[in-house]
């Protein structure tokens, strides 16, 4: 039975090839009968030499069709090498509803289309590549990557750790969206949840990740080993900044052909904003760059007044342990090395409330079918604000950092938001919520 099926497949393939050859040959003969050849649009003399060249041309066409030869460089562009090859070169989209409402071109880089689902894929790849070049990490020897994160960087690191032959140990606050830790576990990472505390506490999630890396392998009783515990340190590791200076910034310039009036985005580690702003400002001196900051973060005042401070830091004002916002991924109350790289490259800052972010996310679902996460919503509110400030005819670029799929239990949880004093509307069909 199998043998007969195989024979039948061969007959079908041969028949198809013969059909193609017949079609190409017939087409060429018809063209020849009408006095056309591959060298001239005029009617040539029907000499044997011309007919010989014509038959040769037909043969070359058929040969090319059958073999479809591709240059090596072209093949390399068409086929990427593993998961790492999927990172970056994300599309740029025009957000129609926001653009039409403001008279500006509001463009968003769809970073949620990276394989790990966020812009942090770029950072994870850059930090691991740098560590390997410095011989800190060696694939396949049992080394473990440690990181303190609220989610996205950990997910990207866990993905790349598997791809490169490492283990991942992620320390995170226990109040982040549940699906983030679930995804990390499915990616094979060890997840350690801790109580959210200030950065000055030795058990703050970043500090604890660093200590776990330092302690790795010391007490396992296995004797000397080449395996290492690598603390990725996304907040201070300048491979973060380099990732965006060398990839995200150039991609934005290429995709917009340099036609950008303003860049608007939030900052957590600060690497994205710093890398993009520094790259583009060198090429576009008139470009305006804006930090967009959620409530509770001190970066707004740092940019505006050179003071790292948020009003929620007043005694008795803070409602949550970390930055006082429902937004995850952006906003911080300390100055990192990566954010410091943006000094002199940020022109202004704007504040976005939690209510504005929630309304923007619901608006984009209603108007665009675009399901975004909290930091992406903050970015889009900021883009509209700046579009209104600059006036019609300008081009504003922002990022869609991740999708709403990893924010279901918090930012997209109506019951949770109501407990935080926020109003959740069934439908948001205009931009009046942006003040």
């Amino acid at each position: 039975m199998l043998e007969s099926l195989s024979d039948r497949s061969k007959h079908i393939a041969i028949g198809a090839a013969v059909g193609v050859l017949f079609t190409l040959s017939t087409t060429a003969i018809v063209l020849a009968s009408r006095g056309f050849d591959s060298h001239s649009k005029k009617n040539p003399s029907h000499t044997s030499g011309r007919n010989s060249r014509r038959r040769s041309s037909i043969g070359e066409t058929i040969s090319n069709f059958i073999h479809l030869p591709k240059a090596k460089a072209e093949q390399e562009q068409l086929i990427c090498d593993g998961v790492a090859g999927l990172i970056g070169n994300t599309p740029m989209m025009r957000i129609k509803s926001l653009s039409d409402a403001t008279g500006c071109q509001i463009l968003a880089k769809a970073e949620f289309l990276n394989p790990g689902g966020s812009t942090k894929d770029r950072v994870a790849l850059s930090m691991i590549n740098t560590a390997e070049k410095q011989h800190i990490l060696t694939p396949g020897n049992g080394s473990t990557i440690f990181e303190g994160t609220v989610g996205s960087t950990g997910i990207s690191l866990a993905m790349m750790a598997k791809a490169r032959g490492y283990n991942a140990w992620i320390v995170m606050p226990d109040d982040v969206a549940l699906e983030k830790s679930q995804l990390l576990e499915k990616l094979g990472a060890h997840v350690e949840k801790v109580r959210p505390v200030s950065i000055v506490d030795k058990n703050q999630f970043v500090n604890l990740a660093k200590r776990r890396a330092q302690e790795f392998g010391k007490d396992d009783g296995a004797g000397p080993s080449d395996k290492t515990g690598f603390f990725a340190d996304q907040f201070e590791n300048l491979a973060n900044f380099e990732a965006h200076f060398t990839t995200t910034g150039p991609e934005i310039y290429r995709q917009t052909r340099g036609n950008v009036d303003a860049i608007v985005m939030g900052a957590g580690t600060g690497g994205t904003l710093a890398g993009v702003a520094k790259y583009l400002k060198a090429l576009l001196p008139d470009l305006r760059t804006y930090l967009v900051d959620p409530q509770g973060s001190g970066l707004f005042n740092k940019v505006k007044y050179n003071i790292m401070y948020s009003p929620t830091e007043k005694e008795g004002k803070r409602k949550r342990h970390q930055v006082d916002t429902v937004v995850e991924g952006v906003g911080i109350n300390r100055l990192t090395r990566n954010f410091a790289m943006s000094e002199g490259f940020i022109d202004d800052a704007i504040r976005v409330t939690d209510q504005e972010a929630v309304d923007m996310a619901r608006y984009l679902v209603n108007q665009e079918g675009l399901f975004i996460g909290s930091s992406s919503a903050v970015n889009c509110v900021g883009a509209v604000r700046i579009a209104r400030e600059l006036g019609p005819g300008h081009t504003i670029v922002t990022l869609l950092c991740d999708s709403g799929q990893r924010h279901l239990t918090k930012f997209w949880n109506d019951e949770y938001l109501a407990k935080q004093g926020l109003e959740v509307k069934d439908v948001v069909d205009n931009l009046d919520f942006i003040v």
Side-chain angles (χ1 to χ4, degrees):
M1 179 67 178
L2 292 176
E3 186 175 342
S4 65
L5 286 174
S6 177
D7 292 341
R8 186 180 304 169
S9 298
K10 291 178 182 177
H11 293 152
I12 291 171
I14 293 169
V18 170
V20 169
L21 293 174
F22 177 78
T23 301
L24 289 172
S25 300
T26 303
T27 302
I29 292 168
V30 169
L31 290 174
S33 69
R34 294 178 181 177
F36 287 88
D37 68 6
S38 59
H39 305 287
S40 173
K41 294 183 180 179
K42 299 178 180 180
N43 292 351
S45 300
H46 294 288
T47 64
S48 60
R50 293 287 178 90
N51 288 333
S52 175
R53 287 196 297 271
R54 190 177 301 116
R55 286 193 294 271
S56 176
S57 177
I58 293 170
E60 289 175 3
T61 300
I62 294 171
S63 176
N64 289 341
F65 181 85
I66 293 173
H67 297 292
L68 295 174
K70 297 287 184 182
K72 184 178 180 182
E74 187 177 352
Q75 288 177 330
E76 290 173 351
Q77 290 173 356
L78 293 174
I79 301 174
C80 66
D81 188 15
V83 169
L86 296 171
I87 296 174
N89 292 310
T90 54
M92 181 81 76
M93 68 172 289
R94 177 181 181 269
I95 304 182
K96 183 179 185 301
S97 58
L98 302 185
S99 299
D100 291 349
T102 60
C104 289
Q105 293 282 24
I106 295 184
L107 309 179
K109 196 154 172 57
E111 288 294 282
F112 63 86
L113 293 178
N114 280 301
S118 81
T119 189
K120 295 299 184 180
D121 284 6
R122 299 175 187 265
V123 177
L125 179 61
S126 179
M127 292 192 298
I128 291 174
N129 281 344
T130 300
E132 288 179 345
K133 289 175 183 176
Q134 296 174 350
H135 305 292
I136 298 171
L137 282 174
T138 302
N141 71 348
S143 293
T144 296
I145 299 170
F146 293 81
E147 184 60 297
T149 170
V150 296
S152 289
T153 304
I155 292 167
S156 298
L157 281 170
M159 176 188 72
M160 285 308 306
K162 279 295 182 186
R164 290 286 178 85
Y166 304 112
N167 299 312
W169 185 307
I170 305 301
V171 185
M172 63 195 311
D174 61 11
D175 64 346
V176 302
L178 178 61
E179 51 271 25
K180 293 182 180 181
S181 60
Q182 292 174 330
L183 183 52
L184 281 164
E185 289 168 349
K186 296 302 181 185
L187 284 167
H190 177 87
V191 179
E192 183 175 1
K193 295 183 180 181
V194 298
R195 184 173 64 89
V197 292
S198 168
I199 188 67
V200 299
D201 192 305
K202 67 178 182 178
N203 290 321
Q204 192 264 358
F205 65 98
V206 175
N207 295 336
L208 184 57
K210 182 177 182 179
R211 191 164 75 249
R212 292 281 187 253
Q214 293 169 340
E215 295 169 349
F216 178 72
K218 286 185 178 180
D219 301 317
D220 61 8
S225 172
D226 291 332
K227 67 181 182 181
T228 58
F230 170 61
F231 176 45
D233 200 11
Q234 60 168 323
F235 291 91
E236 310 301 328
N237 188 338
L238 291 183
N240 180 345
F241 160 82
E242 290 291 340
H244 298 291
F245 183 80
T246 58
T247 68
T248 317
E251 287 172 30
I252 291 173
Y253 185 83
R254 184 178 68 252
Q255 289 169 320
T256 61
R257 293 182 173 85
N259 181 26
V260 187
D261 296 299
I263 295 289
V264 182
M265 66 182 72
T269 64
T272 310
L273 178 60
V276 169
K278 193 166 186 177
Y279 178 86
L280 291 177
K281 283 274 195 176
L283 298 172
L284 306 169
D286 295 330
L287 177 74
R288 299 279 294 174
T289 59
Y290 297 86
L291 165 77
V292 54
D293 212 29
Q295 63 188 52
S297 173
L299 295 178
F300 171 83
N301 284 318
K302 176 62 179 175
V303 171
K304 295 283 283 187
Y305 312 111
N306 200 29
I307 299 173
M308 182 65 77
Y309 175 75
S310 172
T312 55
E313 296 300 299
K314 292 180 181 177
E315 187 175 353
K317 294 290 186 181
R318 178 181 288 276
K319 292 184 289 186
R320 290 178 286 278
H321 287 291
Q322 295 175 267
V323 175
D324 201 20
T325 179
V326 300
V327 173
E328 294 180 350
V330 291
I332 195 171
N333 281 312
R334 69 181 190 275
L335 186 63
T336 68
R337 287 185 71 202
N338 279 289
F339 187 82
M341 295 297 291
S342 68
E343 186 175 355
F345 296 95
I346 301 177
D347 296 295
D348 206 349
I350 53 179
R351 178 85 78 193
V352 170
T353 67
D354 282 353
Q355 188 65 60
E356 288 174 319
V358 168
D359 287 345
M360 175 58 80
R362 275 67 182 172
Y363 174 85
L364 288 175
V365 162
N366 184 48
Q367 297 292 319
E368 303 275 352
L370 192 57
F371 189 53
I372 59 174
S374 55
S375 57
S376 302
V378 167
N379 285 349
C380 288
V381 172
V384 171
R385 282 252 191 88
I386 297 307
R388 289 174 175 175
E389 179 181 311
L390 296 180
H394 292 87
T395 298
I396 292 94
V397 172
T398 191
L399 297 188
L400 301 179
C401 310
D402 63 7
S403 82
Q405 295 177 18
R406 59 182 58 170
H407 297 266
L408 295 174
T409 55
K410 288 194 69 176
F411 186 68
W412 280 98
N413 184 332
D414 294 356
E415 184 178 346
Y416 167 78
L417 295 176
K419 288 180 180 178
Q420 306 305 318
L422 297 169
E423 180 184 1
V424 181
K425 303 165 188 173
D426 291 335
V427 175
V428 180
D429 57 8
N430 61 67
L431 295 173
D432 292 346
F433 61 86
I434 300 178
V435 296

